[in-house]
Amino acid sequence: MTTAAVAQLQAEVNRLRHELSTVRAHEQAPTGESIFVGQYLVERLVQLGVTKMFGVPGDFNLGFLDFVEDHSKIDWVGNCNELNAAYAADGYARVKEGSLGVLTTTFGVGELSAINGIAGAFSEHVPILHIVGVPSTSQQKNKPMLHHTLGDGRYDAYHLAAQHVVISSTSLINKETAAAEIDRVLTECLVMARPVYLMLPTDLAYERIPSYRLKTPLSTEPPANDPDVEQFALDEIAKLIEEAGQDAIILVDACAIRHSVKKEVHELIQRTGFPAYAAPMGKTAVDEQHERYGGIYVGSISHPEIKEKVENAKVIISIGALKSDFNTGNFTYHIPTSRTIELHSDHTTVQFAEFPGIGMKRLLPKLTARIQPFQPDAKLIPVPSFTLPLPQEDNDIITQTYLWPRMGQFFRPKDIIVAETGTSSFGVLEVPFPSGAVFISQILWGSIGWTVGSTLGAALAGRDLGYKRTILFIGDGSLQLTVQELSAMLRSGVTPIIFVLNNAGYTIERFLHGMERKYNDIANWRWTKLLETFGGEQGKTCQSHLVKTKQELSALLDDPKFAAADKIQLVEMIMQPRDAPRALKRQAELSGKTNRYVAELPEGVGEAV
């Protein structure tokens, strides 16, 4: 049976168990109170720890939004557009591990604007509930030519489009099944860590249903592993490590974060002593100050010492891998399958054997206990020191080689650090983060401008969880795509520090192709005026700064008032258009060869006549 088939079967078993629990609850309280369908949905979200809902109001969701606004434990965060709302829900979910992000849009025009953000969350395994307010059940049946439709009676067209970028979806059609369907998609969203889609008709939101199901909490735990198969897999893993003379390393990636196994991974490293490394998307899945942590492995782009340690290990225990091009140095991992153990949320592989349904959440504690006796030998394996010293440069230009180690000195524990696709995400990778800091970047989907909305969501989640600061690094080109959300930040009272790398255009694109092409140029905005334009009051609710030299930047970073982050701040940093981090240059070189933009013309073709 395939991994997908096993996962589907397990999801159905979990659903039936939940239904059995709700039936028992109903038998114990058959005459319970009633509740509106819309209220039921909001109560379920509150039970799951959701405190913020993102989106844009529209005529098909306004009635439902009354339930949201009237609830004391969840706040409506109005966004400037639906795409930014999806980005914000994504950032919120990444920080609030174990919960989910939620956005609400209206039928057609609203939901299609959000679909790029939902696709990114699907790609990167982020749990988001997308609630779409849709026409009433009678209108869907009779199919009048309503606004926001395609004019041809296809009321299911947008639902069909959404199914490509969500793990589960539902169109609520009657009050008898509404609660069960809400429970089903929410459970699948959290267990599978991917977006789900829910159509809520205007009339059905105000239908009354029994509230007894709310007494049975949703189970978001992954399904149990088959004990016999799990034991066999553990035996095989232990045997492989023992045969390798305990010469093993641990390589942690994004799904260790998304599927909530950071605690289990920490225990594995702590109790076994095996060296640990992370892929770019797995940055901060492991405490970067841990004595057994050696840094970021990105295939051929890695620092030579890291590359040598990872690729020469006799066994690689890979946890939550997402082997995309930018996450693997353009697929330059040199790790043969014969030396690899892969742990995933819904399956495990040991060399060439796959064990569907054996998930890492339940397997990891048992694996830790099983291989802990190897610790004395494992702790003798040397680990590179993960450091990034400040370079000595004979100029005062803010270079990429200077910027990122200097920023490393500015970071503190419990910081949320957000890096935009491109220059920022590549530059910050090599910076050792303090314990408890969180890294957020969209390395696989790579939608430029994503970080602005994501920073809003991350800052709001961070405020709930006691994080101290949210820090965004973004290029001038990326910021122009989603800049409106600065106004939502001001309105929401969050206080991120936003570093704008003004390098006159799309630097990553220049290195990929077209260094001198005009399509990689942008208009130069008055960046330090933006916060005031969007409603901030300079010196009171916001502060903007312009830095052109190393000395100016360093003085600002050392300023306690600036570092306190008690108001939203924007820092425009003037940088060179043709300067980029080492890793970005190497990745661009590899990607350029793969893309083959420059055709090899036959001899004589293209020559002057």
Side-chain angles (χ1 to χ4, degrees), residues 29 86 130 167 178 215 358 390 464 484 500 576:
H130 185 185
I167 198 70
K215 295 178 181 178
I358 303 302
L390 199 65
D464 287 350
Q484 311 97 311
V500 181
Q576 302 300 301

Side-chain angles (χ1 to χ4, degrees), residues 142-160:
N142 297 323
K143 297 180 172 45
M145 193 181 291
L146 285 182
H147 62 289
H148 300 340
T149 69
L150 297 170
D152 61 0
R154 287 186 294 151
Y155 276 64
D156 64 344
Y158 316 131
H159 185 188
L160 292 173

Side-chain angles (χ1 to χ4, degrees), residues 422-462:
T423 303
S424 299
S425 62
F426 278 96
V428 81
L429 280 180
E430 298 178 348
V431 179
F433 281 13
S435 297
V438 170
F439 175 63
I440 298 178
S441 190
Q442 198 189 54
I443 291 172
L444 173 52
W445 187 245
S447 183
I448 65 170
W450 168 85
T451 55
V452 185
S454 185
T455 295
L456 170 64
L460 288 168

Side-chain angles (χ1 to χ4, degrees), residues 21 36 67 196 198 229 370 386 407 477 496 546 598:
S21 297
F36 292 118
F67 295 130
V196 295
L198 187 148
V229 178
R370 184 67 182 273
F386 184 45
M407 283 298 173
L546 173 64
V598 181

Side-chain angles (χ1 to χ4, degrees), residues 366-505:
K366 296 169 187 174
L367 177 61
T368 298
R370 184 67 182 273
I371 64 176
Q372 185 173 353
F374 299 151
Q375 186 187 57
D377 291 328
K379 293 205 77 169
L380 296 177
I381 303 171
V383 180
S385 177
F386 184 45
T387 58
L388 187 63
L390 199 65
Q392 298 300 314
E393 297 180 335
D394 59 358
N395 61 66
D396 208 20
I397 299 168
I398 303 173
T399 62
Q400 294 287 340
T401 53
Y402 170 85
L403 174 63
W404 300 111
R406 181 63 185 90
M407 283 298 173
Q409 297 174 351
F410 178 69
F411 296 153
R412 297 176 179 172
K414 300 294 283 186
D415 278 348
I416 299 169
I417 299 158
V418 190
E420 180 61 61
T421 295
T423 303
S424 299
S425 62
F426 278 96
V428 81
L429 280 180
E430 298 178 348
V431 179
F433 281 13
S435 297
V438 170
F439 175 63
I440 298 178
S441 190
Q442 198 189 54
I443 291 172
L444 173 52
W445 187 245
S447 183
I448 65 170
W450 168 85
T451 55
V452 185
S454 185
T455 295
L456 170 64
L460 288 168
R463 193 161 65 184
D464 287 350
L465 299 174
Y467 284 92
K468 304 302 181 184
R469 304 184 301 183
T470 301
I471 302 169
L472 166 63
F473 295 97
I474 186 169
D476 50 351
S478 296
L479 182 54
Q480 289 191 359
L481 271 78
T482 49
V483 69
Q484 311 97 311
E485 231 49 43
L486 295 179
S487 66
M489 294 179 194
L490 284 157
R491 184 182 179 199
S492 300
V494 294
T495 59
I497 300 173
I498 301 164
F499 290 96
V500 181
L501 283 63
N502 186 345
N503 48 20

Side-chain angles (χ1 to χ4, degrees), residues 143-341:
K143 297 180 172 45
M145 193 181 291
L146 285 182
H147 62 289
H148 300 340
T149 69
L150 297 170
D152 61 0
R154 287 186 294 151
Y155 276 64
D156 64 344
Y158 316 131
H159 185 188
L160 292 173
Q163 288 180 36
H164 294 279
V165 294
V166 297
I167 198 70
S168 184
S169 65
T170 187
S171 174
L172 302 185
I173 55 175
N174 62 64
K175 65 180 185 179
E176 283 74 23
T177 60
E181 280 296 280
I182 290 169
D183 289 355
R184 178 182 66 82
V185 295
L186 285 174
T187 301
E188 293 181 16
C189 177
L190 285 162
V191 172
M192 299 184 186
R194 275 188 157 150
V196 295
Y197 173 98
L198 187 148
M199 290 173 63
L200 181 60
T202 53
D203 57 333
L204 197 59
Y206 278 81
E207 289 281 359
R208 282 198 169 273
I209 58 174
S211 63
Y212 68 88
R213 292 180 66 98
L214 292 172
K215 295 178 181 178
T216 306
L218 297 180
S219 174
T220 58
E221 288 294 312
N225 294 338
D226 181 291
D228 293 335
V229 178
E230 182 181 64
Q231 185 59 50
F232 183 82
L234 286 168
D235 290 343
E236 292 298 300
I237 293 170
K239 185 193 305 179
L240 188 61
I241 295 173
E242 193 165 10
E243 289 173 352
Q246 290 81 53
D247 182 5
I249 63 100
I250 299 165
L251 180 60
V252 188
D253 209 340
C255 284
I257 303 171
R258 306 288 187 267
H259 292 277
S260 303
V261 296
K262 284 170 64 174
K263 179 181 177 183
E264 289 83 356
V265 169
H266 175 78
E267 284 294 304
L268 176 67
I269 297 166
Q270 188 73 11
R271 292 173 58 189
T272 66
F274 285 115
Y277 301 85
M281 289 178 69
K283 187 174 174 66
T284 67
V286 179
D287 179 356
E288 297 196 343
Q289 299 302 315
H290 196 285
E291 63 179 0
R292 302 302 289 166
Y293 180 70
I296 302 292
Y297 174 66
V298 206
S300 65
I301 296 175
S302 311
H303 278 288
E305 190 176 7
I306 295 173
K307 184 176 185 295
E308 188 270 333
K309 295 294 184 186
V310 172
E311 294 180 359
N312 288 339
K314 292 181 179 176
V315 175
I316 296 91
I317 304 171
S318 169
I319 304 175
L322 275 176
K323 297 179 182 177
S324 72
D325 52 355
F326 279 19
N327 203 37
T328 63
N330 215 54
F331 311 114
T332 57
Y333 270 24
H334 293 289
I335 303 174
T337 303
S338 59
R339 290 193 275 132
T340 303
I341 298 158

